[in-house]
Amino acid sequence: MTKLKIKSGDTVQIIAGDHKGSEGKVLKVSKDKNKAIVEGVNVVKKHTKPSAQNPQGGIVEKEAPIHISNLSLLTGKGETTRVGFKMEGDKKVRFSKKSNEVI
């Protein structure tokens, strides 16, 4: 298991696959599967049976996970960057490899 460089709350761009070029906010990261759910990207339709929460049933749209390798972090300026780790004092921080700024 490796240290993931993308956290929930980050803004990312999809760099591969059907949704290449799309941008969105990371809602959830699954460390064990190396996948992330990005808001408004990779939306799938799920057919649901009627239940207590949803008595009508029907078709629900929800975001499906995307592999971390297909995501690239966006900086505040809107450009994609790779992420590195470095020690700042006694704290480990993420930094942009393009601009060398702490994220």
Side-chain angles (χ1 to χ4, degrees):
M1 191 165 102
T2 59
K3 177 78 174 149
L4 298 181
K5 298 179 177 183
I6 292 175
K7 295 181 177 180
S8 57
D10 287 345
T11 306
V12 294
Q13 184 175 37
I14 286 70
I15 55 172
D18 293 341
H19 303 281
K20 182 177 180 176
S22 307
E23 297 175 5
K25 187 177 170 188
V26 176
L27 300 175
K28 187 178 175 190
V29 176
S30 174
K31 276 188 175 181
D32 52 332
K33 294 180 184 169
N34 281 343
K35 294 190 177 221
I37 294 176
V38 181
E39 189 175 32
V41 180
N42 199 19
V43 177
V44 294
K45 292 186 178 195
K46 182 170 170 50
H47 297 257
T48 57
K49 279 185 164 183
S51 65
Q53 289 89 11
N54 187 6
Q56 188 65 35
I59 301 169
V60 177
E61 290 192 351
K62 60 181 271 184
E63 288 98 354
I66 301 172
H67 200 271
I68 293 282
S69 65
N70 296 334
L71 303 176
S72 181
L73 190 72
L74 284 174
T75 59
K77 299 169 192 156
E79 59 181 8
T80 59
T81 182
R82 292 180 303 155
V83 179
F85 291 102
K86 66 180 176 182
M87 295 301 288
E88 229 173 52
D90 58 344
K91 218 173 172 194
K92 186 177 180 182
V93 293
R94 296 185 303 162
F95 74 99
S96 162
K97 290 202 173 180
K98 210 176 239 185
S99 63
N100 217 18
E101 291 175 4
V102 173
I103 299 168

